[in-house]
Amino acid sequence: MTAEIICVGTELLLGDIVNTNAQFLSRELAELGVSVLHQHVIGDNPARLRELVAQARARSELLVFSGGLGPTEDDLTKETVAAAFGDTLHFDAEEWAKITAFFARTGRQPTPNNRKQAMVPTRGHKIPNAHGTAPGAWFEDDAGRCAVLMPGVPREMKAMWTEQIRPALQRRQNCTIHSHTLRVLGGESSIASKVAPLFASANPTAAIYCKTGESEIRVTARAATAQQAEADCKAYLQKFRDILGDAAYDVDVPALEYTVVRVLRERGLHAATAESCTGGMVAERLTNVPGASEVFDYGFVTYSEAAKQKLLGVDAALIARWNVVSGPVAAAMAFGAAQASGAELAVGITGIAGPGGALPGKPVGTVYLAGADARTGAGWLQRLALGGYHDREVIRTRAAMYALDLLRRMALGLPVPDATAITRQTPPEPMDL
Amino acid sequence: MTAEIICVGTELLLGDIVNTNAQFLSRELAELGVSVLHQHVIGDNPARLRELVAQARARSELLVFSGGLGPTEDDLTKETVAAAFGDTLHFDAEEWAKITAFFARTGRQPTPNNRKQAMVPTRGHKIPNAHGTAPGAWFEDDAGRCAVLMPGVPREMKAMWTEQIRPALQRRQNCTIHSHTLRVLGGESSIASKVAPLFASANPTAAIYCKTGESEIRVTARAATAQQAEADCKAYLQKFRDILGDAAYDVDVPALEYTVVRVLRERGLHAATAESCTGGMVAERLTNVPGASEVFDYGFVTYSEAAKQKLLGVDAALIARWNVVSGPVAAAMAFGAAQASGAELAVGITGIAGPGGALPGKPVGTVYLAGADARTGAGWLQRLALGGYHDREVIRTRAAMYALDLLRRMALGLPVPDATAITRQTPPEPMDL
């Protein structure tokens, strides 16, 4: 099946908002095995819309619209598409009752224009909107070509798509689809080179999306039954996990901190943070997870030498000898945070986020990350070189990712790549990697 | 002038990336006074591209392309547009030398396909690419209709646009433009209602963009000379400032924390943070500003009652009497953080970010924010009701914005709206607002 996406809205043409609807719909259609030939953005102009619908109908079997269902007189999308598909609109008392009830709840009166929103297709059918006032519309011509009209508000559009239109398209294509998203630490190029052949499959499909310090791999399987799609999807996901090992940290979670909080909770562990260059980012991410209070009590943002001494007990002589950006100081911060908080696990981070502050042998992006396990007195030390990104925000974000992953690995007893094992008593010399 | 934006790229049609280029170009063209009639996304398909270019040329005076300049055989955008505009391409030795030098620097060999990137317009002209290998192209037909081709990589596209194409279009339109962005605390609807008439102007133009807890107002003036455009822009900006008062906190800064760090530095002040529900977000934002170490040393993330007692000296009896989410505890956190850090100013934040944790009379989104001035022993207390957003992330982000603004207002000696004046010795009763 071929499709075109048509987004109607002056605010898109003026650049007031970014068109996330087009991305969402493109990705969803690709997963359904539908080829998207064009995306269009157009204003509330009936003549241009009529021209575009005629061209798109001549090329593609499915036209997917978002926007243009508003109550103002300018919004003529539904009328224009109805005419192009040889359909008419009629007043729907049930939709009108919903609209008036909505206005009553918010203490307002509907205007005559709002009645436009209660007009629904005669040959086609309406699509109820569970999250807003404007129903969607489905038009179909004798040749089986369809147009689907949805609201432009992303929340309403996504709900209508997911709950109603996507299942209908699956039934038409006589298949079900199932997706999972694997989250993997590391950059897209390093991951893609290991699993490149797996992206060539037509079903299940796999796509990689690059994020700062990690990537998402989305696997989608199509099959005749839901059970088969789910089984195919899981089996294909396992192929990625077999190759990527413990860098693939979780499935269908919003972010690494969700995995860290879950793992800590499952193991009955607590974590503390001692942050210099990340300035509280690790604590902020951990506490963004609902229920983080079960596993996190103390976060120390020690941005000066005095703060490191006072809150974490870092020895002034250690700082004087090794510099505040050094392995020994990171280790002392981590063990000091564990001590001061009573947490079983702690991380200490000190580094140079830039743009200034580079030291001899320690360019911008040099970050020392230490993990302490108060139960054993053992830990890990890493020297990270994140300066290639030339961006304070990216350096901090990547350092925080490494710190969260270190907590995960310590909690699970996994090895830590490119790290040196340390103990609370390790003499400082070998620690300044 | 009328224009259409055409983005070429399969990754857009598959939904792999969101089309931020279209938004950027739409906004820029709007500022130049150009009407954008359509945005299009299309794949590397010469037949469909030819059809689209013919249609767009018939409607619009300017076609702005991004993407399709890559070295693969599929990338035929330049060839297709050249043919449509009655132009041809020829090999440019200078561009080829740049491409081969780039490959040499990165230790690789160019392929024969890369020679395509050195093909430039014959009647039209090339547009040098200071940030990548592929030059852009400018085509123009006898009727004065133009097509501008730029790379799809946003960094390269934006640089080429800003440095070369935008000035060329300004010259064509015989004007210069100048923009400033005013940042204003508060939601779009509350701000827009106060300054609505100012958005109706055709020159200077003003547009409002809503962010979490604040809005950006971008003012753009067109004039014959740069000085006049700058003067017009500044005068119009002042009209907004006159109405919005001290909620308009700065011009042309990336975020509120930049203003806070600047103000603290100018006044020779230091700030400390004591955070519960925001979990380090205020510290993280302050330390995202280069040079924050001059004004920030200590951040306390006290996520448990024990941590508040131990690090900030909050009295256990105070917590027992008023609950840990209360005005007295926020005040004790702020004064405790000032005491423990030696900073002149401190903020304390305790609240319910949700989704769980609501208390009688304190729904999700209830946040107590206190500010302490160690120099005077005086401070401010606010009870915020942020639950309408039903979103943990939004509640935390808005609470952090209020905390940063409180630091700004205390540093500048400004009044704090909807806040109660407190002192270190205030008895707790009137504090639990």
Side-chain angles (χ1 to χ4, degrees):
Chain A
M1 194 190 281
T2 52
E4 310 205 4
I5 295 167
I6 302 174
C7 301
V8 182
T10 307
E11 69 282 10
L12 289 164
L13 287 181
L14 288 172
D16 289 350
I17 56 172
V18 67
N19 191 355
T20 54
N21 283 0
Q23 183 194 23
F24 173 83
L25 292 168
S26 288
R27 196 192 277 203
E28 289 282 321
L29 287 162
E31 288 186 359
L32 285 164
V34 175
S35 297
V36 176
L37 303 186
H38 281 260
Q39 296 169 4
H40 310 267
V41 173
I42 188 168
D44 301 318
N45 180 303
R48 281 200 287 273
L49 186 59
R50 205 174 302 125
E51 180 191 15
L52 173 60
V53 172
Q55 291 163 356
R57 259 188 83 208
R59 277 186 302 245
S60 300
E61 297 157 79
L62 173 67
L63 311 190
V64 180
F65 289 78
S66 77
L69 300 181
T72 68
E73 288 183 45
D74 293 348
D75 284 319
L76 291 169
T77 305
K78 201 162 47 178
E79 292 77 357
T80 307
V81 178
F85 277 75
D87 204 341
T88 55
L89 300 174
H90 69 274
F91 180 75
D92 185 294
E94 188 188 6
E95 291 299 325
W96 181 240
K98 277 195 219 168
I99 292 167
T100 49
F102 171 81
F103 276 88
R105 271 204 309 283
T106 53
R108 294 177 301 154
Q109 287 284 330
T111 67
N113 269 334
N114 286 108
R115 284 181 72 94
K116 275 173 42 109
Q117 296 190 301
M119 300 297 285
V120 306
T122 303
R123 259 185 37 176
H125 60 86
K126 68 178 177 181
I127 308 170
N129 183 345
H131 303 268
T133 55
W138 184 296
F139 298 102
E140 191 160 350
D141 68 14
D142 294 329
R145 291 176 183 251
C146 302
V148 177
L149 276 61
M150 295 182 287
V153 179
R155 196 172 53 89
E156 297 181 25
M157 183 279 290
K158 286 181 185 174
M160 190 179 283
W161 174 267
T162 306
E163 293 161 15
Q164 300 180 75
I165 296 167
R166 184 171 129 145
L169 290 172
Q170 288 191 32
R171 283 191 300 274
R172 272 182 109 81
Q173 298 208 295
N174 214 7
C175 74
T176 65
I177 69 169
H178 202 92
S179 293
H180 285 300
T181 300
L182 183 67
R183 297 189 77 99
V184 188
L185 295 161
E188 182 177 340
S189 58
S190 71
I191 293 168
S193 66
K194 291 181 192 147
V195 290
L198 292 176
F199 293 118
S201 160
N203 183 31
T205 60
I208 188 164
Y209 306 101
C210 187
K211 314 270 166 184
T212 301
E214 63 173 322
S215 300
E216 280 179 27
I217 295 174
R218 189 164 159 96
V219 173
T220 304
R222 268 174 287 149
T225 68
Q227 290 88 331
Q228 190 59 47
E230 166 76 16
D232 291 352
C233 189
K234 282 208 164 152
Y236 210 72
L237 208 64
Q238 190 57 42
K239 295 188 186 202
F240 281 97
R241 302 192 87 146
D242 289 345
I243 296 169
L244 296 169
D246 56 25
Y249 66 84
D250 218 334
V251 175
D252 297 336
V253 290
L256 177 55
E257 53 267 31
Y258 285 76
T259 304
V260 174
V261 168
R262 174 179 61 75
V263 166
L264 289 170
R265 190 191 282 148
E266 285 170 3
R267 308 270 160 146
L269 297 172
H270 298 78
T273 55
E275 305 183 62
S276 190
C277 62
T278 49
M281 193 182 278
V282 180
E284 190 278 317
R285 288 186 59 173
L286 285 170
T287 59
N288 199 33
V289 183
S293 59
E294 289 178 43
V295 301
F296 179 80
D297 300 310
Y298 288 78
F300 303 89
V301 184
T302 52
Y303 216 58
S304 65
E305 295 184 12
K308 293 176 182 69
Q309 294 168 35
K310 185 168 171 185
L311 299 184
L312 304 170
V314 179
D315 191 347
L318 195 76
I319 296 175
R321 176 160 181 204
W322 295 104
N323 187 285
V324 71
V325 178
S326 65
V329 169
M333 288 170 68
F335 282 106
Q339 173 90 34
S341 66
E344 294 86 4
L345 304 177
V347 286
I349 311 166
T350 178
I352 304 163
L359 297 167
K362 295 175 181 172
V364 168
T366 303
V367 176
Y368 293 90
L369 167 64
D373 187 330
R375 298 168 299 180
T376 60
W380 298 95
L381 181 62
Q382 292 176 276
R383 179 181 162 142
L384 309 172
L386 307 174
Y389 305 99
H390 300 295
D391 182 304
R392 183 176 173 91
E393 177 86 38
V394 174
I395 290 168
R396 283 157 48 93
T397 303
R398 290 184 65 104
M401 295 283 301
Y402 275 99
L404 290 168
D405 188 46
L406 182 55
L407 283 172
R408 176 182 75 103
R409 290 176 179 276
M410 288 196 297
L412 291 172
L414 294 172
V416 183
D418 302 320
T420 302
I422 58 171
T423 70
R424 197 182 284 127
Q425 290 80 27
T426 313
E429 276 78 357
M431 289 169 64
D432 197 37
L433 305 168
Chain B
M1 194 189 281
T2 53
E4 309 204 6
I5 295 167
I6 302 174
C7 301
V8 182
T10 306
E11 69 282 10
L12 290 165
L13 287 182
L14 289 171
D16 290 350
I17 55 172
V18 66
N19 192 355
T20 53
N21 283 2
Q23 184 195 22
F24 172 82
L25 292 169
S26 287
R27 198 193 278 204
E28 289 281 323
L29 287 162
E31 287 187 358
L32 286 164
V34 176
S35 297
V36 176
L37 303 186
H38 281 260
Q39 296 169 4
H40 310 268
V41 173
I42 189 168
D44 301 317
N45 180 301
R48 280 200 287 273
L49 186 59
R50 205 174 301 125
E51 182 190 13
L52 173 60
V53 171
Q55 291 163 357
R57 259 187 83 208
R59 276 186 302 247
S60 301
E61 296 156 77
L62 172 67
L63 312 189
V64 180
F65 289 78
S66 77
L69 299 182
T72 69
E73 290 183 44
D74 293 347
D75 284 318
L76 291 169
T77 305
K78 200 161 46 179
E79 291 77 356
T80 307
V81 179
F85 277 75
D87 204 342
T88 55
L89 300 174
H90 69 274
F91 181 75
D92 185 295
E94 188 189 6
E95 290 299 326
W96 181 239
K98 277 195 218 168
I99 292 167
T100 49
F102 171 80
F103 276 89
R105 271 204 311 282
T106 53
R108 294 177 302 157
Q109 287 284 330
T111 67
N113 270 333
N114 286 107
R115 285 180 71 92
K116 274 173 41 104
Q117 296 189 301
M119 300 296 285
V120 305
T122 303
R123 259 188 34 177
H125 59 86
K126 68 179 176 179
I127 309 169
N129 183 346
H131 303 268
T133 55
W138 185 297
F139 298 101
E140 192 159 350
D141 67 14
D142 294 329
R145 291 177 183 253
C146 302
V148 176
L149 276 61
M150 294 182 286
V153 178
R155 196 172 51 90
E156 296 180 26
M157 182 279 289
K158 286 181 184 175
M160 191 178 282
W161 174 266
T162 306
E163 293 161 16
Q164 298 180 77
I165 296 167
R166 184 172 130 143
L169 290 173
Q170 288 190 35
R171 282 192 299 275
R172 270 184 111 81
Q173 298 209 295
N174 213 8
C175 73
T176 65
I177 71 169
H178 201 91
S179 293
H180 284 300
T181 300
L182 184 67
R183 298 189 77 101
V184 188
L185 295 161
E188 183 177 340
S189 57
S190 72
I191 293 168
S193 66
K194 291 183 192 142
V195 290
L198 293 176
F199 293 119
S201 159
N203 183 33
T205 61
I208 187 164
Y209 306 102
C210 188
K211 314 271 166 183
T212 301
E214 63 173 325
S215 301
E216 281 179 24
I217 295 174
R218 190 163 158 96
V219 173
T220 304
R222 269 173 285 149
T225 67
Q227 289 89 329
Q228 190 59 46
E230 166 77 14
D232 291 352
C233 188
K234 282 206 165 156
Y236 210 72
L237 208 65
Q238 190 58 43
K239 296 189 185 203
F240 282 97
R241 303 191 87 146
D242 289 344
I243 296 169
L244 295 168
D246 57 23
Y249 66 83
D250 218 336
V251 174
D252 297 337
V253 290
L256 178 55
E257 55 266 31
Y258 284 76
T259 304
V260 174
V261 168
R262 174 180 59 75
V263 166
L264 290 169
R265 190 191 282 146
E266 285 169 4
R267 308 271 160 147
L269 297 172
H270 298 79
T273 55
E275 304 183 63
S276 191
C277 63
T278 48
M281 193 183 278
V282 181
E284 190 276 317
R285 288 186 59 175
L286 285 170
T287 59
N288 199 33
V289 182
S293 59
E294 289 178 43
V295 301
F296 179 80
D297 300 310
Y298 288 78
F300 303 89
V301 184
T302 54
Y303 217 59
S304 66
E305 296 184 12
K308 291 176 183 71
Q309 294 168 37
K310 185 168 174 186
L311 300 184
L312 304 170
V314 179
D315 191 345
L318 195 75
I319 297 175
R321 176 160 180 205
W322 294 104
N323 186 286
V324 71
V325 179
S326 65
V329 170
M333 288 171 68
F335 282 106
Q339 172 90 35
S341 66
E344 293 87 2
L345 303 177
V347 286
I349 310 167
T350 177
I352 305 164
L359 297 168
K362 295 175 182 172
V364 168
T366 302
V367 176
Y368 293 89
L369 166 63
D373 188 329
R375 299 168 298 178
T376 60
W380 297 96
L381 180 61
Q382 291 176 278
R383 179 182 163 142
L384 309 173
L386 307 175
Y389 306 101
H390 300 296
D391 182 306
R392 184 177 173 89
E393 177 87 39
V394 173
I395 291 168
R396 284 156 48 93
T397 303
R398 290 184 65 106
M401 295 283 301
Y402 276 99
L404 290 167
D405 188 46
L406 182 54
L407 285 172
R408 175 182 76 103
R409 290 175 180 277
M410 288 197 296
L412 291 172
L414 294 172
V416 183
D418 303 320
T420 301
I422 57 170
T423 69
R424 196 183 282 129
Q425 290 80 26
T426 312
E429 278 78 356
M431 291 169 63
D432 197 40
L433 306 168

